Amino acid sequence: MQDAKQEQKQDQELFDRIVKHIGEFVEADVSHLTPESNIGNSIEGMSSLKMVELLLFLEDCFGVDFDESVMDDLQTMRDLEQYIRRTLDASGQRA
């Protein structure tokens, strides 16, 4: 049971960091974002070009690579968080 709670806490911390970095990138308050938020619709001014720029920014923040093939799969904030988590776990890094 403790592992599930610890994992949930780590997921929330990672999610909070992602939201913080997105806020830095768009220079706006994005505290309204939830795991279910659609990235393209929930962040003001998010075009496909801006999305690519955001992912490049997040690559630098988290030390992960966003393969072009996954970009279309990243619809919600949860998708983004899970991708970053999986990538960090696969590389042995901590979020």
Side-chain angles (χ1 to χ4, degrees):
M1 196 57 136
Q2 187 62 26
D3 287 342
K5 275 193 167 164
Q6 183 67 22
E7 199 170 292
Q8 191 173 16
K9 183 176 185 267
Q10 288 176 339
D11 286 348
Q12 185 61 49
E13 288 172 358
L14 177 59
F15 183 81
D16 291 344
R17 283 180 56 205
I18 294 168
V19 170
K20 179 178 143 279
H21 288 308
I22 290 173
E24 291 169 1
F25 178 76
V26 297
E27 298 177 340
D29 178 16
V30 291
S31 60
H32 63 280
L33 294 175
T34 68
E36 290 75 32
S37 295
N38 181 291
I39 299 169
N41 298 337
S42 300
I43 304 170
E44 194 171 325
M46 190 56 63
S47 64
S48 55
L49 175 61
K50 200 81 164 153
M51 179 69 172
V52 171
E53 292 172 349
L54 171 63
L55 294 179
L56 290 172
F57 179 75
L58 292 175
E59 281 184 347
D60 289 341
C61 294
F62 291 98
V64 299
D65 287 321
F66 288 97
D67 191 274
E68 279 187 44
S69 63
V70 300
M71 291 173 99
D72 291 334
D73 297 334
L74 301 176
Q75 299 298 316
T76 66
M77 290 294 295
R78 176 170 284 121
D79 296 337
L80 181 60
E81 179 212 339
Q82 289 175 341
Y83 179 80
I84 291 173
R85 164 82 54 221
R86 280 193 314 269
T87 305
L88 290 174
D89 288 349
S91 67
Q93 297 179 44
R94 288 202 28 90

